[in-house]
Amino acid sequence: SVKYFERVKIEVEAKLPEITEGLPKPLVDAVKALRAAFNDINNLDFVSAVIKCRSAMEYITKREKRDGRDTKVIKDEVKGAILSRYEGAAKGVYEDVLETLEVTIRDIYEMMSKFIHPDSDKVKFNPRMVDAVYVFRQTVDIINYLVELSRA
């Protein structure tokens, strides 16, 4: 019997910002990483896609001691660009919104770490297409949200 493999073309929608001018550098770098991750998904390289999504998260976050533990939080440069656009009650709301988003970021980051070792690019478990696409979409949504908030 003849065995053959047909390359599958996957259509993944990616609404990434076209224009990154005027954005804080961490967001610009995150968008670049996501463009590369998008190409990886289309080339069926799911490991590399997850690594690049993680890089996008690394660009916009830093580690901070909270309750004696290292915790991922949004970088001051990104937070500052967003919060500088608001005053009074609105600023307070967005401070809370960003803290909530940090929890989401930590959750997605933890999910990525199930596939790729957190301190290296070593594969712990091979992500499938569905895993890579999910991680990609979640990361795109987070980055897009931060981009939109920083332009508001």
Side-chain angles (χ1 to χ4, degrees):
S1 74
V2 176
K3 292 191 178 184
Y4 68 95
F5 294 94
E6 191 179 318
R7 184 165 166 165
V8 183
K9 188 71 183 157
I10 34 178
E11 292 300 316
V12 179
E13 287 288 312
K15 298 268 188 271
L16 288 164
E18 299 287 317
I19 300 156
T20 54
E21 203 177 315
L23 292 175
K25 187 172 182 339
L27 283 176
V28 174
D29 293 340
V31 169
K32 284 183 192 158
L34 288 174
R35 284 200 182 110
F38 178 74
N39 290 334
D40 288 337
I41 287 173
N42 283 315
N43 291 319
L44 308 180
D45 187 348
F46 307 127
V47 169
S48 188
V50 171
I51 289 170
K52 288 184 178 107
C53 288
R54 187 180 64 184
S55 293
M57 292 294 206
E58 291 285 353
Y59 286 128
I60 62 156
T61 58
K62 64 177 184 169
R63 292 191 180 280
E64 199 174 81
K65 283 267 188 232
R66 284 197 182 165
D67 303 322
R69 288 196 330 221
D70 262 353
T71 305
K72 283 198 131 353
V73 296
I74 297 168
K75 281 184 179 171
D76 297 336
E77 187 180 346
V78 176
K79 257 188 196 166
I82 293 166
L83 295 176
S84 69
R85 304 200 173 274
Y86 302 97
E87 301 177 344
K91 188 173 193 160
V93 167
Y94 281 104
E95 283 170 347
D96 291 347
V97 164
L98 291 177
E99 273 188 33
T100 304
L101 189 62
E102 287 172 344
V103 174
T104 305
I105 288 170
R106 288 192 288 272
D107 287 346
I108 295 296
Y109 196 85
E110 188 179 325
M111 186 178 182
M112 291 180 206
S113 298
K114 303 292 179 206
F115 301 106
I116 312 295
H117 196 278
D119 301 319
S120 72
D121 289 346
K122 286 198 171 72
V123 177
K124 284 168 71 173
F125 186 85
N126 268 314
R128 297 175 344 188
M129 181 172 80
V130 67
D131 304 316
V133 169
Y134 179 77
V135 162
F136 175 74
R137 286 187 174 140
Q138 294 297 312
T139 309
V140 166
D141 284 347
I142 289 166
I143 301 303
N144 276 338
Y145 185 57
L146 291 171
V147 165
E148 290 306 312
L149 287 180
S150 69
R151 287 181 170 158

